[in-house]
Amino acid sequence: MADEEHNKPAAHSFLSYATEVARLMDLGHAPDVPEARRARHLAHAVRKPLLERTHLPEEFFAPLLAAAVHDPDPSFCRWYVEPAVYVFGRRRVMTALLDYLRTGTEAEQAGAKRAWYCAHVPLRADRSPAYAPGGSRDPAMDESHDVMAEWQETVRRSAM
C-alpha cells in the first residue's frame, strides 16, 4: 500500500502530461479508459501520429519532454523523446533534459536520466525526410557533444 501511495503523485503527473500531448494532437483524453490505465493508453494513441509528423508546433516541445520525464516506465518514455528529437533536434532535447537534471525534483532527475538514454536514438531517413540524402536538416540541431560533456559533469558533481 505504501508503494502505491508513493507512486500516485508521479502517476498523476504523467497522466496530466500525456493528456496534454493527446489534446495537442486532437486525440481527446480517453474518459472511458480507467484512470489507472489512461496515461499509458494516451501514450500509445499518440505514438504513431507523433512519429509520422516531420513538423510539430513549438507548443509541443515542453509537454513532450515533461511526459517523457514523468513517464514512470523507462521502456516507454522513448515514445515522447524520439519524436521530439526528430522534430526539435537532439541538441535541444538533451539541453532540456540537462535542465531537468540540474533543477528538477528527485523524480524529475530520475526521469531525465531515463529519457537521456532515449535521446540517443539513431536518426534514420525512414523516420524523417530531413535525414534522407539531400535532406534539409541543419546539422547544428543534432550536434550535442558539448551538452553530453555538461551532462557527464553534472552527474559527476551530483555523485560527490
Side-chain angles (χ1 to χ4, degrees):
M1 182 74 164
D3 286 338
E4 287 177 26
E5 290 301 316
H6 177 71
N7 289 331
K8 260 191 170 188
H12 181 70
S13 294
F14 176 51
L15 175 57
S16 64
Y17 293 117
T19 300
E20 177 62 9
V21 173
R23 183 193 67 78
L24 290 169
M25 298 288 297
D26 291 326
L27 295 175
H29 62 281
D32 54 330
V33 177
E35 187 171 345
R37 294 192 332 241
R38 193 173 303 147
R40 186 60 52 220
H41 173 83
L42 292 169
H44 184 75
V46 301
R47 181 175 187 245
K48 187 176 180 192
L50 280 171
L51 286 173
E52 291 172 344
R53 300 264 189 106
T54 57
H55 177 343
L56 290 169
E58 180 62 30
E59 67 184 320
F60 275 77
F61 184 75
L64 280 173
L65 269 288
V69 166
H70 289 90
D71 191 330
D73 190 326
S75 300
F76 295 111
C77 69
R78 178 179 178 166
W79 291 4
Y80 295 102
V81 175
E82 186 175 16
V85 168
Y86 273 95
V87 173
F88 299 106
R90 189 184 315 276
R91 178 179 193 78
R92 184 168 177 201
V93 169
M94 287 182 158
T95 299
L97 294 173
L98 178 61
D99 189 48
Y100 272 108
L101 183 67
R102 289 178 172 159
T103 64
T105 64
E106 281 187 39
E108 289 171 334
Q109 290 171 0
K113 289 175 183 176
R114 290 188 301 269
W116 180 262
Y117 177 80
C118 298
H120 292 83
V121 62
L123 302 172
R124 302 184 340 230
D126 64 329
R127 286 276 199 222
S128 173
Y131 292 101
S136 59
R137 183 145 174 123
D138 178 1
M141 290 178 68
D142 300 310
E143 175 53 49
S144 56
H145 293 309
D146 59 326
V147 181
M148 288 191 278
E150 287 182 55
W151 176 274
Q152 291 170 347
E153 180 62 22
T154 302
V155 169
R156 187 187 66 74
R157 282 188 193 147
S158 67
M160 296 175 123

